[in-house]
Amino acid sequence: MSIIQEFKEFAVKGNMMDLAIGVIIGGAFGKIVDSLVKDIIMPLISVITGGGVDFSQKFIVLGANPANLQSLDALQKAGINVLTYGNFLTILINFIILAWVVFLMVKLLNRLRRDKNEPEAPAATPEDIQLLREIRDELKKQA
């Protein structure tokens, strides 16, 4: 078997295609969650905390700032060492929201699978069968 034939079998296997589809959908889902955080959650947090909160602009200047620059962009362009903890907070919030949404989705899928795989309740025993069972049990008691 040639290497090209082996690669062809590997590439078209069901698991490989499922993985590729999962990666593509995961990338699109990541963009949705990113938009959810940036366009919906962060503005709500800003309103709750009194407005004007933009975590991406939170930073601490490490070292000398001879020109007394105040904006993050200007500090970074000047090559001054800056600890941008606000960016970290934004990414952390994105991760927590993403993890929560994925948890809720998995929980929902598990519930749907459980309901689908749950065996149906057994049908009620017909009265004549139930009566015969009672007679059988009574006969066993008498013997």
Side-chain angles (χ1 to χ4, degrees), residues 3 5 8-9 16 20 32 34 36 38 42 55 59 67 75 79-80 85 87 91 95 97 112 114 121-122 129:
I3 190 110
Q5 183 67 25
K8 183 179 173 185
E9 283 184 28
M16 184 70 163
I32 290 170
D34 208 27
L36 172 71
K38 185 170 51 169
M42 292 308 283
F55 291 139
F59 60 89
L75 287 165
I80 297 174
Y85 68 91
N87 190 38
I91 292 172
F95 172 76
I97 292 170
L112 291 174
R114 204 173 322 133
I129 301 291

Side-chain angles (χ1 to χ4, degrees), residues 37-137:
V37 171
K38 185 170 51 169
D39 300 330
I40 295 173
I41 303 295
M42 292 308 283
L44 290 175
I45 290 174
S46 180
V47 168
I48 291 169
T49 58
V53 175
D54 182 13
F55 291 139
S56 64
Q57 293 300 313
K58 301 292 183 185
F59 60 89
I60 297 174
V61 178
L62 301 174
N65 184 3
N68 200 20
L69 302 172
Q70 298 298 319
S71 73
L72 179 59
D73 290 336
L75 287 165
Q76 288 176 334
K77 286 179 184 175
I80 297 174
N81 198 7
V82 179
L83 178 72
T84 55
Y85 68 91
N87 190 38
F88 174 76
L89 288 176
T90 302
I91 292 172
L92 181 65
I93 290 170
N94 285 347
F95 172 76
I96 291 170
I97 292 170
L98 175 66
W100 180 252
V101 169
V102 169
F103 167 74
L104 292 177
M105 286 180 55
V106 168
K107 187 174 178 173
L108 176 68
L109 289 174
N110 285 341
R111 183 179 298 149
L112 291 174
R113 281 190 194 140
R114 204 173 322 133
D115 291 345
K116 192 164 112 178
N117 293 337
E118 196 172 286
E120 293 181 20
T125 307
E127 287 184 37
D128 56 343
I129 301 291
Q130 185 63 32
L131 182 60
L132 288 171
R133 287 181 181 163
E134 289 175 9
I135 293 171
R136 179 197 61 201
D137 293 343

